[in-house]
Amino acid sequence: MTAETRRWSIRKRLFMLFMPFLFAICFAGAGVSYWLISTFSGESFDRDLINSSDSIVGRLRVKNGSLIVDLPPAAQAILKHSESDKLYYRVISLDGRVISGDKDLPPPSRDLQIDVPKVRWVNMPTGQIRLAEVKTKPDEATEETVIVQLAATTHVRTVFQRKMLMSIVIPQVVALLLGLSAIYFGVVNVLRPVKILHDEVISRSPSDLSALPDRDIPEEIYPLVSAINNLLNRLRDEIKLHQRFIANAAHQLRTPLAGLKTFSSIGSEMSDAGDLKKIVREVDHGVDRASRMVSQLLALARTDADPSINAMKKLDLNFLVSDIVEELINQAIQKDIELKYEHSTEPAVIFGQQTSLKHLITNLIENAIIYTPSGGEVTVNVRGGRDVVLSVADTGPGIAPSERARVFERFYRIVGSNGNGSGLGLSIVQEVAKMHKAQVEIQSASSGGTLVIVAFPPTPAKNLLAAE
């Protein structure tokens, strides 16, 4: 699966999140409203049936000892008049004898109580109808009890409820569409700053590392813009640093190369063997200086990149320092300098990158050798235990307190200092120390020279166990 297929849209996800809720709210609202309207309208229609049945009860009369319904044709016409529904009525005795009305109505309910109306659904050949029934005694003088039934078809009821349903559904659909439109335009409007930010970034040239505008940026997007601006600031500073580094490196390399060119031109015209040997020595000296410069540039380039955790491992600084002192002993002897190595009996275990630590140790000792005059002394000390400390002391001219911060700058050399250093040694030391979260401090040695101290932080036990 590619990175392209794993991308997802905030706009689509918001729609997928809100749409089910909108539909659910609309359908639930329509359903509840329809149920309420059906219930209330049904009760209203049932009440009309009961009132009509009460009107029939009011027309019951006892005449010549017989119960009759005094309902003239005009009254029956008014009762049964309806443009859409058909009405039926019947008055029967308890033994089932039809006193008046239609004979096709179903038998009455058996659980009727006196003067307590009941409404129910019944089926007829023409369809389902609504039936109201009431048991009553029309005259106190007679003991006869009758049942009045009044039924009506439900066309008007159904049409009314259907119209009410449409009056609910149509506004709900309109509300749903308006809600979806509001969500769409709201999401588009909310995400517009992201589009503006995208256009701002995409329209820039590769050399434009100025900060992105953060005015009118939503609170949720501001941390992202702030992080991007911080990154751009760091990139801008890093590019400036690299440009200055390249310019300084070119300048520093130009000097030994120009000297080599000069001596080679002079040497090609010389015939005296003694003078030619001097020229060859100068050329050899220039090659050594250029080679050292290139080596330090490469070392500095490597330390600019943070090491991966896989490159870090458990190391004993005693062994690293011992090997490097052995490598540099000839350089010290050639300059008539006594190189001493001192260490405690405790292991100096740290968690670090071996190659970069070698650069740190080598540059510290070489710097001390370069700036210590002949006949001097360079002492390398390693203190083990929980807090590992590496120190290099020399008997050179020392570094003034005002210069101690600047000597860590790349290509910086103290004015009037002797030696052929490149000004990169302490820069490499500083970079490697930062990589290992160590502290570098320059002090005055007891001999009057320079004392450089590198204090490594205590290594967590879990790191040491993981490195074994």
Side-chain angles (χ1 to χ4, degrees):
M1 183 179 291
T2 63
E4 187 70 25
T5 58
R6 288 198 298 267
R7 293 192 185 122
W8 51 272
S9 169
I10 295 177
R11 185 182 292 106
K12 291 181 180 178
R13 182 159 291 189
L14 287 175
F15 268 109
M16 295 299 293
L17 178 65
F18 288 119
M19 283 179 63
F21 286 103
L22 279 178
F23 278 103
I25 291 172
C26 288
F27 285 127
V32 171
S33 299
Y34 180 69
W35 177 79
L36 291 174
I37 289 175
S38 299
T39 302
F40 295 151
S41 63
E43 290 177 355
S44 177
F45 281 105
D46 290 346
R47 194 175 299 110
D48 289 341
L49 278 177
I50 293 173
N51 291 336
S52 297
S53 64
D54 286 342
S55 299
I56 296 174
V57 171
R59 303 299 299 182
L60 294 177
R61 301 285 187 272
V62 176
K63 188 175 182 180
N64 299 325
S66 299
L67 187 65
I68 62 171
V69 179
D70 184 14
L71 196 65
Q76 293 185 32
I78 294 173
L79 181 64
K80 294 189 176 183
H81 174 71
S82 176
E83 296 179 354
S84 302
D85 281 330
K86 186 175 181 180
L87 275 74
Y88 308 89
Y89 87 95
R90 184 172 68 173
V91 180
I92 61 175
S93 62
L94 292 181
D95 57 4
R97 178 174 56 87
V98 177
I99 299 173
S100 177
D102 302 296
K103 298 180 180 181
D104 297 332
L105 289 175
S109 301
R110 296 182 179 181
D111 57 348
L112 290 175
Q113 299 178 8
I114 298 295
D115 295 330
V116 178
K118 180 178 181 181
V119 183
R120 61 190 174 99
W121 290 101
V122 295
N123 292 317
M124 292 186 66
T126 56
Q128 195 175 47
I129 63 173
R130 193 71 168 166
L131 174 65
E133 302 173 310
V134 60
K135 182 190 290 188
T136 183
K137 288 184 178 181
D139 194 339
E140 295 295 335
T142 178
E143 294 296 329
E144 185 174 7
T145 302
V146 296
I147 297 174
V148 177
Q149 293 180 310
L150 182 65
T153 57
T154 59
H155 179 71
V156 173
R157 183 192 299 246
T158 303
V159 171
F160 175 79
Q161 292 179 346
R162 188 177 300 154
K163 288 181 178 179
M164 293 303 298
L165 176 62
M166 295 304 296
S167 68
I168 295 171
V169 170
I170 291 176
Q172 291 284 1
V173 171
V174 173
L176 177 63
L177 294 177
L178 291 176
L180 291 176
S181 301
I183 291 175
Y184 175 79
F185 288 107
V187 170
V188 171
N189 185 63
V190 168
L191 295 180
R192 184 174 291 117
V194 178
K195 180 66 168 58
I196 296 173
L197 186 63
H198 167 268
D199 295 340
E200 171 71 22
V201 174
I202 207 70
S203 63
R204 290 190 172 202
S205 63
S207 59
D208 186 3
L209 296 178
S210 59
L212 296 173
D214 55 7
R215 292 187 60 186
D216 301 326
I217 292 294
E219 183 179 352
E220 290 77 9
I221 302 179
Y222 180 79
L224 174 62
V225 176
S226 179
I228 293 175
N229 286 337
N230 289 335
L231 176 62
L232 291 175
N233 290 334
R234 292 197 301 269
L235 285 175
R236 189 166 57 249
D237 294 340
E238 190 70 17
I239 289 175
K240 287 180 180 178
L241 182 63
H242 285 180
Q243 289 174 343
R244 188 176 65 180
F245 174 76
I246 292 171
N248 290 334
H251 174 74
Q252 294 292 331
L253 286 174
R254 189 181 297 116
T255 301
L257 291 177
L260 289 175
K261 178 64 177 177
T262 301
F263 286 121
S264 63
S265 299
I266 296 173
S268 62
E269 298 176 357
M270 286 185 174
S271 57
D272 182 72
D275 292 337
L276 191 57
K277 286 182 179 180
K278 292 180 181 179
I279 293 297
V280 171
R281 281 197 296 270
E282 292 296 335
V283 170
D284 184 65
H285 177 72
V287 170
D288 288 342
R289 182 179 177 186
S291 176
R292 173 177 168 78
M293 175 74 70
V294 171
S295 297
Q296 289 193 317
L297 287 173
L298 291 174
L300 193 58
R302 292 190 188 100
T303 58
D304 280 340
D306 290 335
S308 65
I309 191 64
N310 294 328
M312 309 290 278
K313 60 181 181 180
K314 179 181 176 182
L315 299 169
D316 192 330
L317 205 61
N318 284 319
F319 296 109
L320 281 179
V321 174
S322 175
D323 292 341
I324 294 170
V325 167
E326 187 176 348
E327 293 174 2
L328 297 177
I329 191 70
N330 288 333
Q331 185 176 336
I333 292 174
Q334 289 176 4
K335 200 175 175 182
D336 191 23
I337 292 175
E338 184 179 2
L339 181 58
K340 297 181 179 179
Y341 171 49
E342 301 173 350
H343 62 88
S344 61
T345 57
E346 294 181 281
V349 179
I350 61 174
F351 191 67
Q353 189 189 45
Q354 183 170 340
T355 302
S356 59
L357 286 172
K358 283 185 176 180
H359 288 311
L360 180 146
I361 300 166
T362 301
N363 278 282
L364 278 179
I365 299 175
E366 280 189 342
N367 260 22
I369 293 174
I370 289 172
Y371 293 102
T372 299
S374 298
E377 182 180 292
V378 174
T379 303
V380 183
N381 181 277
V382 177
R383 188 182 71 197
R386 184 175 182 272
D387 299 316
V388 177
V389 177
L390 167 66
S391 62
V392 178
D394 60 51
T395 56
I399 300 175
S402 59
E403 298 282 350
R404 289 175 183 174
R406 296 202 61 190
V407 294
F408 292 107
E409 297 179 9
R410 298 178 181 184
F411 301 108
Y412 179 78
R413 296 183 65 196
I414 300 175
V415 178
S417 61
N418 298 322
N420 57 355
S422 62
L424 289 175
L426 289 178
S427 297
I428 296 173
V429 170
Q430 181 78 299
E431 293 296 330
V432 176
K434 286 182 180 179
M435 185 187 303
H436 292 80
K437 296 181 174 56
Q439 298 294 326
V440 183
E441 184 181 359
I442 298 178
Q443 300 178 1
S444 296
S446 58
S447 60
T450 303
L451 173 64
V452 181
I453 300 173
V454 182
F456 293 89
T459 302
K462 62 178 182 179
N463 287 351
L464 294 178
L465 293 174
E468 292 180 348

